[in-house]
Amino acid sequence: MERQLPLKTQRHLNLIVEWQYLLVLLVVGINLTALKTGYKVARIWGFNTQNDPSQRPYDNYFQVLNSSGQYFNYNPQNGIPRLDYAVAAAQKKGIQLILPLLNNWDELGGINTYTNVYGGSHNDFFTNTAAQTAYKNYIKFIVNRYKSSSAIFSWELCNEPRCSGCNPSIITKWASDTSAYIKSLDPNHMVSLGDEGWLTSTSANTVPNYEQSYAYTGYEGVDFQANLAIKTLDYGTFHLYPNHWGYNFTWGNTWIEQHNAIGKALNKPVLLEEFGVPDWEDRLGIGQAWENTVSTKTSIAGDMLWQFGTNFPSGANPFDSYSVYWNTTELNVLGNKHAKDMTARWPVATL
């Protein structure tokens, strides 16, 4: 039987697009994109950590971690007031935000900004007591600062967490402990992991077309099915970049259907939180095929383009080759039209 999501969850997860760019541009994105397309939710970074701000004096950052301690940056020019402004703008415009609280990667201060100070390797972060104490301090700071805002859609533990070569139980335990901590601070908002959706043999009897290849071996230390079963994680996330992972683009449809099957089995919503096709490929055709799989062959709750690009006065700045720009055929089809298709699929709750 087809899984029916609670109406409130349907409403929240219907229309989602992802913006991963400087916070100063969020208001532009809300005004020019979200309101004119019907998007309801944006995902923006809720983290930005430096060990030595003097090395990157023009960057925004929200906290400093170094041998002197842990400090939050309240400077209105480049600190937490920038995120305050973004959250306030989203609230004013009726947009909700997914806020990841940590990055697996080094950009904008990832996991390694913690291990640089508290010791160990990247993989040690998940079990390093001092690093976890500092991370929970940051979680408490951000969650308590914004939990009363109607702009908050959900909290996310980490963007694309990996513990390469580790037993997946390490991240599962970390996700269980950390999500429970967030719920202790804020029981009124949803929490997700933010993972790419890596599978293991746990899912061999759950998903169609299971195979023994990279995405299914658990090499990155993540077990999507085990993590989705965590009681304090409200919905699952997975990402889709076949060209980076050694698969063809057609395989993306299989990846989508497999995560849909796990969501059904565990009776939890699942979100395709990032998907992207580089600009030298048939982005429109490939993206439409994936979106069609989401909207017509699954009960996936929503999907999010990576990423919305912005035109600066000096010219377009895509940040990477995956960006989709305002007022282009790609955005109109993969964004606007698909948003309408997803809206038509789910009933909208009357609150």
Side-chain angles (χ1 to χ4, degrees):
M1 187 176 77
E2 187 74 0
R3 172 171 57 104
Q4 294 296 313
L5 301 178
L7 284 178
K8 186 175 181 181
T9 302
Q10 291 173 3
R11 177 176 181 269
H12 277 168
L13 293 177
N14 276 344
L15 303 173
I16 301 178
V17 71
E18 179 153 12
W19 296 311
Q20 304 290 9
Y21 54 97
L22 295 178
L23 289 172
V24 68
L25 299 175
L26 175 64
V27 180
V28 177
I30 288 173
N31 285 328
L32 297 184
T33 306
L35 295 178
K36 294 183 180 181
T37 58
Y39 296 145
K40 301 296 184 184
V41 179
R43 180 172 176 249
I44 66 167
W45 297 147
F47 56 80
N48 202 324
T49 301
Q50 291 193 27
N51 296 130
D52 183 0
S54 68
Q55 297 299 310
R56 305 180 70 173
Y58 300 106
D59 285 4
N60 299 326
Y61 61 97
F62 302 152
Q63 73 165 337
V64 176
L65 295 173
N66 57 34
S67 58
S68 298
Q70 180 177 24
Y71 309 95
F72 302 127
N73 179 17
Y74 293 96
N75 187 328
Q77 300 302 314
N78 64 354
I80 200 67
R82 308 272 291 198
L83 186 56
D84 291 345
Y85 185 64
V87 172
Q91 180 170 320
K92 181 178 180 180
K93 299 299 183 180
I95 305 298
Q96 291 191 298
L97 304 175
I98 297 172
L99 286 185
L101 301 168
L102 179 68
N103 197 11
N104 181 73
W105 313 106
D106 288 346
E107 287 77 13
L108 303 180
I111 282 175
N112 286 343
T113 57
Y114 287 83
T115 57
N116 288 344
V117 176
Y118 302 108
S121 67
H122 174 283
N123 287 358
D124 293 327
F125 166 80
F126 300 100
T127 55
N128 182 313
T129 301
Q132 290 307 303
T133 297
Y135 176 48
K136 287 183 177 178
N137 286 342
Y138 184 72
I139 288 174
K140 184 177 182 180
F141 171 66
I142 294 293
V143 170
N144 283 343
R145 194 171 186 87
Y146 301 120
K147 66 183 180 182
S148 298
S149 171
S150 62
I152 299 303
F153 175 78
S154 66
W155 310 108
E156 186 170 289
L157 306 191
C158 182
N159 173 57
E160 300 185 334
R162 293 186 182 186
C163 189
S164 302
C166 300
N167 188 308
S169 64
I170 292 176
I171 281 186
T172 298
K173 183 180 185 306
W174 173 80
S176 180
D177 292 345
T178 308
S179 58
Y181 178 68
I182 293 175
K183 289 289 190 180
S184 74
L185 297 172
D186 178 15
N188 298 317
H189 285 100
M190 294 187 289
V191 179
S192 67
L193 177 52
D195 59 308
E196 296 155 286
W198 305 114
L199 302 181
T200 72
S201 59
T202 302
S203 303
N205 297 321
T206 306
V207 303
N209 302 309
Y210 178 85
E211 59 180 87
Q212 285 291 342
S213 61
Y214 168 62
Y216 303 87
T217 62
Y219 172 77
E220 299 298 353
V222 175
D223 183 337
F224 175 82
Q225 184 162 328
N227 295 332
L228 188 58
I230 295 171
K231 292 182 179 180
T232 43
L233 290 179
D234 298 288
Y235 63 92
T237 65
F238 69 105
H239 297 183
L240 179 55
Y241 298 102
N243 55 308
H244 279 297
W245 302 341
Y247 297 90
N248 60 45
F249 288 109
T250 302
W251 170 84
N253 297 297
T254 299
W255 192 240
I256 292 168
E257 293 185 29
Q258 288 171 333
H259 288 80
N260 179 65
I262 296 172
K264 283 185 173 182
L266 295 178
N267 196 33
K268 279 190 176 181
V270 174
L271 171 66
L272 175 52
E273 187 182 63
E274 290 185 22
F275 72 92
V277 179
D279 55 15
W280 59 82
E281 300 285 354
D282 178 16
R283 176 186 287 164
L284 194 59
I286 295 167
Q288 280 185 287
W290 291 345
E291 290 183 341
N292 182 66
T293 296
V294 168
S295 62
T296 66
K297 299 180 181 180
T298 76
S299 54
I300 295 291
D303 52 78
M304 306 172 74
L305 285 167
W306 175 279
Q307 65 177 331
F308 176 69
T310 301
N311 288 294
F312 291 98
S314 57
N317 191 332
F319 299 98
D320 61 29
S321 59
Y322 291 81
S323 296
V324 177
Y325 290 90
W326 169 252
N327 206 27
T328 62
T329 298
E330 290 177 339
L331 183 61
N332 289 337
V333 173
L334 299 178
N336 307 357
K337 180 181 180 300
H338 181 61
K340 293 177 181 177
D341 291 342
M342 293 295 284
T343 302
R345 189 179 72 163
W346 295 117
V348 177
T350 300
L351 302 180

